[in-house]
Amino acid sequence: MKNKRNNSTSEGQHHRTVTLLQPVAWLYEGITALRTILYDQGVFSSFTPAQFTVSVGNLTVGGTGKTPMVEYLIRYFKDKQKIATLSRGYGRSTRGFVLADPDATARTIGDEPLQYFQKFGEEVKVTVCENRAEGSRQISTLFPHIGLLLLDDAYQHRGIRPHVNILLNDYNRPFYRDHPFPAGYLREGRSGASRADAVVVTKCPARLAAEAKEEIRQRISRYTRPGTPVFFASVRYEQPVGYSSGAKHPVEVVALAGIARAEPFLDYLRDNFKVLKEVIYPDHHDYGPSDLESLLKYVKKGTFVVTTEKDKVKLYPLATAAGVADQFLYLPIRMDFGTDQEPFAQWLDEAIQTPMLEAARGIK
């Protein structure tokens, strides 16, 4: 009964907060809607890249699975086409266009781009630039053979006009139940979904009933263009991998993450290992030696620190310098489309692969 009262009180406080902030949210939504209209009518100019361009983004602030989605697209297309990724490079200390190389760090290009580079190496050109239009021009000049450009988190970056927009929607935080900032977590109004060429509902339960999928499709279709497909994907964690070695089979672990929504990561660890301690930092946390020092007091013989892949790119240099890299593991993560795998692959071929090849041949 106490939990029910606490939940009821929490929900009531949340409702009052939303109501209080709603006028400001309406103003914010109006400004973003006006901006969209000005871009759509050509008052503000948009640049169409020379490369066939696919944008992966969301309406919601925080993690919706953009990085695993970009990696899924890289794996799908890398044997068919030369690829470049272009990100803002959140949290980096550099400015302008930067091409990832073996000397790149999270400080020079950002943690997610560094993750792409460390995972795919020279198979993909990994770049960052806060001005996506300028970044795509630089890629075209440096690498004219690039046929596919993947924009990471550029859904609201209207200065560049992608050929295809993939909108991600977190199953646990659907945009159709949310409100624009500051009353909620939307970067723009729900109507922004009308720019999507496809919607991927991410972080779904592994076995989501067909009836539930259909209900979600109907809710999403209120805001998308007619015929816009909706696909469903879940998160698949793989066996922990050592920072300095291969797969490990730990029993007791310390969970460490600095990501937007750590719940799925923590739930997986709780279900599969004995979690001695959970250390959670804000998204894109800039780890330092003091973080490592405070963390290691929880680590005993036979215990491993398990992190996300995103955190690994920042922690690896620190753990290596301290001589404790062998006590750190990370969880590889993949997007799993389950029964939607074939329909999604068919859509990728029809919406991206075929027009991309036609563009390369000069067919209009």
Side-chain angles (χ1 to χ4, degrees), residues 8 31 81 90 96 99 105 110 118 127 142 151-152 157 179 181 200 217 247 263-264 271 273 295 299 305-306 338 352:
S8 177
I31 293 172
Q81 186 60 255
Y90 186 87
L99 172 67
T105 66
Q118 291 184 349
T127 68
L142 293 171
L151 300 179
D152 181 0
H157 197 93
H179 304 274
F181 180 84
V200 177
R217 283 195 183 95
E263 290 87 352
D271 290 343
F273 309 99
L295 178 71
V299 179
V305 179
V306 180
I352 300 176

Side-chain angles (χ1 to χ4, degrees), residues 1 19 72 78 92 94 98 113 121 169-171 174 219-220 228 230 241 247 257 284 298-299 312 326 346-347:
M1 183 66 71
T19 302
Y72 186 98
K78 67 185 179 68
R92 65 189 174 113
T94 57
V98 180
N169 174 69
D170 188 337
Y171 170 84
R219 298 289 296 271
I220 290 175
T228 302
V230 178
V241 178
H284 298 285
Y298 302 111
V299 179
K312 178 245 183 182
D326 58 346
Q346 182 178 351
W347 180 82

Side-chain angles (χ1 to χ4, degrees), residues 42-63:
V43 178
F44 292 164
S45 61
S46 292
F47 172 76
T48 301
Q51 314 89 349
F52 193 90
T53 304
V54 177
S55 171
V56 176
N58 54 18
L59 297 181
T60 310
V61 174

Side-chain angles (χ1 to χ4, degrees), residues 79-341:
D79 295 328
K80 306 173 184 178
Q81 186 60 255
K82 299 296 184 182
I83 301 174
T85 66
L86 176 58
S87 311
R88 173 188 171 190
Y90 186 87
R92 65 189 174 113
S93 59
T94 57
R95 298 287 296 172
F97 178 84
V98 180
L99 172 67
D101 62 23
D103 295 325
T105 66
R107 288 186 178 275
T108 60
I109 64 172
D111 46 16
E112 288 147 344
L114 183 58
Q115 180 176 319
Y116 299 148
F117 182 74
Q118 291 184 349
K119 185 170 290 186
F120 298 103
E122 292 302 319
E123 290 184 291
V124 177
K125 297 300 180 184
V126 176
T127 68
V128 296
C129 190
E130 59 273 19
N131 184 322
R132 306 303 208 289
E134 176 59 25
S136 70
R137 292 189 186 98
Q138 292 272 12
I139 293 169
S140 183
T141 300
L142 293 171
F143 310 106
H145 61 288
I146 294 293
L148 177 60
L149 175 61
L150 300 177
L151 300 179
D152 181 0
D153 196 13
Y155 198 80
Q156 285 76 34
H157 197 93
R158 298 300 305 279
I160 192 167
R161 189 184 306 113
H163 297 85
V164 172
N165 261 318
I166 299 177
L167 176 64
L168 305 186
N169 174 69
D170 188 337
Y171 170 84
N172 303 288
R173 298 185 304 155
F175 73 83
Y176 51 77
R177 290 181 183 166
D178 208 343
H179 304 274
F181 180 84
Y185 296 96
L186 296 185
R187 298 175 173 183
E188 58 178 303
R190 301 172 187 175
S191 61
S194 64
R195 299 197 304 276
D197 295 291
V199 178
V200 177
V201 182
T202 61
K203 304 183 181 180
C204 296
R207 292 177 178 84
L208 185 60
E211 295 81 3
K213 290 182 178 181
E214 184 56 32
E215 181 183 349
I216 293 171
R217 283 195 183 95
Q218 291 180 8
R219 298 289 296 271
I220 290 175
S221 68
R222 297 176 187 175
Y223 304 98
T224 57
R225 301 191 306 273
T228 302
V230 178
F231 303 100
F232 295 84
S234 59
V235 168
R236 186 177 83 238
Y237 288 106
E238 299 179 345
Q239 183 67 27
V241 178
Y243 275 25
S244 57
S245 58
K248 299 283 186 179
H249 303 277
V251 175
E252 296 183 340
V253 302
V254 173
L256 173 64
I259 56 178
R261 291 183 61 79
E263 290 87 352
F265 168 75
L266 294 175
D267 288 343
Y268 179 84
L269 292 181
R270 293 165 186 157
D271 290 343
N272 291 275
F273 309 99
K274 182 179 180 181
V275 180
L276 302 179
K277 179 72 177 177
E278 297 174 0
V279 182
I280 307 301
Y281 291 101
D283 194 18
H284 298 285
H285 180 66
D286 188 13
Y287 292 98
S290 61
D291 295 320
L292 193 67
E293 183 179 350
S294 62
L295 178 71
L296 289 177
K297 66 184 180 183
Y298 302 111
V299 179
K300 59 183 181 180
K301 185 177 180 181
T303 301
F304 292 90
V305 179
V306 180
T307 74
T308 69
E309 283 188 281
K310 180 176 169 179
D311 292 298
K312 178 245 183 182
V313 300
K314 289 182 177 178
L315 283 164
Y316 178 76
L318 291 171
T320 300
V324 294
D326 58 346
Q327 294 178 273
F328 280 73
L329 314 175
Y330 69 92
L331 276 186
I333 184 174
R334 289 206 181 198
M335 193 83 79
D336 187 350
F337 280 86
T339 58
D340 273 6
Q341 182 173 335

Side-chain angles (χ1 to χ4, degrees), residues 67-85:
T67 302
M69 184 74 252
V70 170
E71 292 183 356
Y72 186 98
L73 295 175
I74 291 173
R75 291 189 184 96
Y76 189 86
F77 287 111
K78 67 185 179 68
D79 295 328
K80 306 173 184 178
Q81 186 60 255
K82 299 296 184 182
I83 301 174
T85 66

